[in-house]
Amino acid sequence: MGTFVYAGVMEDGCEVAVKRTLIQSSENLAENEKNILSLLQTNKSPFIVSYQSFLKDSTFMYLMVDLCEETLENYVQSQSIQHLREHGPRMIKEILRGLDFLHDHGILHRDLKPANILVDVEGHMRLADFGISRVLSEDETTCLTDGKGTEGWMASEVLESRNRGSKGRFKKKSDVQSAGMVAFHILTQGGHPFGRSVFSCIQNVLKGNPVNLGILEDLESKHFVSLLIRHKIDDRPYAHEALELPFVDQVQNYEGLPKPKISLRNYELE
């Protein structure tokens, strides 16, 4: 999509991440992300990246947000399975708190995946990348939209609408199924509940067949993930209901996570 992220410094010395996007390839996505983050500016959450500034020239658009250390995808790969099992419930709780915050403000993320969740300097989870997010009006519960998202991380109802070639009904609980997939990814050091390959994941999500769920030996974590990834949307909890489940409800905030190493090199977004 012609998008790169750089580390930058504002005139006041504030460190930021600068998301540079080619106008001709992604102008609508970048504008949408700016509008979403601007909407959240007055009601900030510690589990959502904060918007700093937005600029554009004849070629690029530049979106500036809080500088984080790395993506959850990279963080999971750098940690031991023991560490992730110990701290995973707290990490998952923070992701759900960020998602609940979005939903309270009528915002559907629509592309929740490990690459779109950031780890900040204190080791906390921060939801990011709102290019295809949508805002519900006050009386809406559903976004009628094309089946967009990332292969392997889309909810079953999104995949079904895409296969039909028609617009689908995206709800808050659609985000929750993706959050359940992310939870499994954390607890298994990079696994996916519906398969190993993208193709198998898609096919099994469509069938409601979580073939890898048995990898979770802890019964409480298995029950938790199974609730979030249920095939029928009405059988899933809302984010605020998931936060009340024992697996995450009893988790205390933890400040002592080892800090990831920051890299100032450029990297291309997936």
Side-chain angles (χ1 to χ4, degrees), residues 114 152-156 176-186 191-194 205 225 228-229:
W153 300 99
M154 288 184 272
S156 55
V176 170
Q177 190 178 38
S178 299
M181 299 177 197
V182 171
F184 186 91
H185 182 86
I186 293 170
H192 196 291
F194 290 100
V205 168
V225 172
L228 271 60
I229 64 172

Side-chain angles (χ1 to χ4, degrees), residues 172-206:
K172 294 175 181 179
K173 289 184 178 182
S174 303
D175 278 336
V176 170
Q177 190 178 38
S178 299
M181 299 177 197
V182 171
F184 186 91
H185 182 86
I186 293 170
L187 297 171
T188 58
Q189 199 182 25
H192 196 291
F194 290 100
R196 292 187 176 182
S197 69
V198 172
F199 178 79
S200 64
C201 285
I202 292 172
Q203 297 305 309
N204 286 318
V205 168
L206 285 168

Side-chain angles (χ1 to χ4, degrees), residues 245-264:
L245 295 171
F247 182 67
V248 294
D249 182 51
Q250 301 172 10
V251 173
Q252 299 295 316
N253 292 334
Y254 184 71
E255 303 294 339
L257 280 177
K259 296 179 181 179
K261 296 179 180 179
I262 191 165
S263 173
L264 297 183

Side-chain angles (χ1 to χ4, degrees), residues 59-74:
T59 307
F60 297 106
M61 306 175 75
Y62 305 87
L63 178 69
M64 281 146 273
V65 299
D66 291 342
L67 180 65
C68 292
E69 302 293 280
E70 60 183 337
T71 66
L72 174 63
E73 184 175 48
N74 292 334

Side-chain angles (χ1 to χ4, degrees), residues 26-94:
S26 307
E27 183 172 10
N28 292 337
L29 296 179
E31 288 281 2
N32 186 65
E33 184 167 17
K34 181 196 74 170
N35 293 336
I36 294 288
L37 289 170
S38 298
L39 180 64
L40 295 172
Q41 188 71 1
T42 55
N43 295 292
K44 292 185 178 181
S45 164
F47 308 114
I48 306 288
V49 293
S50 294
Y51 167 69
Q52 298 291 339
S53 187
F54 181 84
L55 298 169
K56 63 190 300 185
D57 56 30
S58 59
T59 307
F60 297 106
M61 306 175 75
Y62 305 87
L63 178 69
M64 281 146 273
V65 299
D66 291 342
L67 180 65
C68 292
E69 302 293 280
E70 60 183 337
T71 66
L72 174 63
E73 184 175 48
N74 292 334
Y75 182 81
V76 163
Q77 294 301 323
S78 69
Q79 302 300 318
S80 68
I81 187 64
Q82 291 80 12
H83 175 88
L84 294 170
R85 287 174 178 170
E86 179 182 355
H87 298 289
R90 192 269 314 164
M91 297 162 64
I92 295 164
K93 183 176 183 178
E94 292 182 352

